[in-house]
Amino acid sequence: MSPLRLTLLAIVLTGCPPVYKQGNTTAETTTTGGSTSATTEPIEPTGPGATIGTTTVDTNPTTGAVDTTTTTTGEPATTGEPATTTSTTEATTTTGTTGEPDPGLMGEWGHACQSDDECSAILGDKGVCLTDILMLYALPGGYCTKECTLPDAMTFYEAGDPACAPDALCIGASGYFEACAVECTDDSDCPREGYECRLLPQIGQPGDPMFCLMTDEYML
């Protein structure tokens, strides 16, 4: 080839634009006597849903081709169900009593007892717990009262005694048995088991007041 043609060929080759290969990020420029490779790292994607990974660029020294391997690492976004809190409320119903049944007129005088101290707490100073009357009648469950004084042997009940006033009367037989008891008109006034509204046993007379006392079945 003539020197003129060689010169023209060199000019043409020098002025040729770079050649880009589809799918590569490396621009390859061909020059006389060899090739020059330029490597450009790919732009990391941005925006919603984009995945940013690690890019490895390998340039083949012979052909100038770029081997791009993209590795995505990381765990996927974790989405959980909304936390649900279950609250269990147990309704607890308590059934009980607020005390003993209504004692009627025996809430104080004639209250059940086991000791004098119990009766003193209910009736005040000098309260006593009786369990029988002259060993002739038992007083079931005990009987809270106070000792009192009748004016004479012919008086079996009297109102106004300081020990019994103002709610009870002094009853009994002077010198034998004298105690306070509440006056009643009906058995319902004396709801304690073993008691009734009655005349004084053996000495009571028709028309006399009645009191909450033991029934005859408790005669000893």
Side-chain angles (χ1 to χ4, degrees), residues 167-215:
D167 302 319
L169 280 66
C170 184
I171 65 173
S174 179
Y176 293 95
F177 173 81
E178 297 160 283
C180 302
V182 65
E183 187 178 355
C184 60
T185 58
D186 188 83
D187 287 345
S188 62
D189 294 332
C190 316
R192 285 189 59 200
E193 185 176 355
Y195 291 86
E196 65 182 352
C197 184
R198 61 175 297 174
L199 294 170
L200 287 171
Q202 301 188 27
I203 59 175
Q205 300 297 316
D208 286 349
M210 295 188 294
F211 304 93
C212 289
L213 298 170
M214 68 285 139
T215 62

Side-chain angles (χ1 to χ4, degrees), residues 13-193:
L13 291 177
T14 301
C16 288
V19 178
Y20 292 91
K21 293 184 179 180
Q22 184 177 1
N24 295 331
T25 58
T26 299
E28 183 179 50
T29 303
T30 303
T31 59
T32 303
S35 62
T36 302
S37 298
T39 302
T40 303
E41 293 185 7
I43 299 174
E44 295 179 348
T46 59
T51 302
I52 300 175
T54 301
T55 303
T56 302
V57 180
D58 184 16
T59 303
N60 190 316
T62 302
T63 63
V66 178
D67 181 12
T68 303
T69 303
T70 301
T71 304
T72 302
T73 60
E75 297 180 357
T78 302
T79 58
E81 297 180 357
T84 302
T85 302
T86 302
S87 176
T88 303
T89 303
E90 295 182 358
T92 302
T93 304
T94 301
T95 303
T97 58
T98 57
E100 296 180 355
D102 183 359
L105 296 179
M106 302 181 77
E108 294 180 355
W109 302 103
H111 195 284
C113 58
Q114 294 182 338
S115 69
D116 291 348
D117 288 341
E118 289 180 276
C119 294
S120 292
I122 296 172
L123 299 175
D125 188 36
K126 298 182 180 181
V128 294
C129 180
L130 300 182
T131 57
D132 67 88
I133 296 176
L134 299 175
M135 297 298 293
L136 296 176
Y137 288 90
L139 293 167
Y143 193 98
C144 277
T145 187
K146 288 183 179 182
E147 295 178 350
C148 56
T149 303
L150 292 169
D152 53 62
M154 299 303 296
T155 303
F156 304 117
Y157 57 88
E158 183 176 65
D161 187 282
C164 307
D167 302 319
L169 280 66
C170 184
I171 65 173
S174 179
Y176 293 95
F177 173 81
E178 297 160 283
C180 302
V182 65
E183 187 178 355
C184 60
T185 58
D186 188 83
D187 287 345
S188 62
D189 294 332
C190 316
R192 285 189 59 200
E193 185 176 355

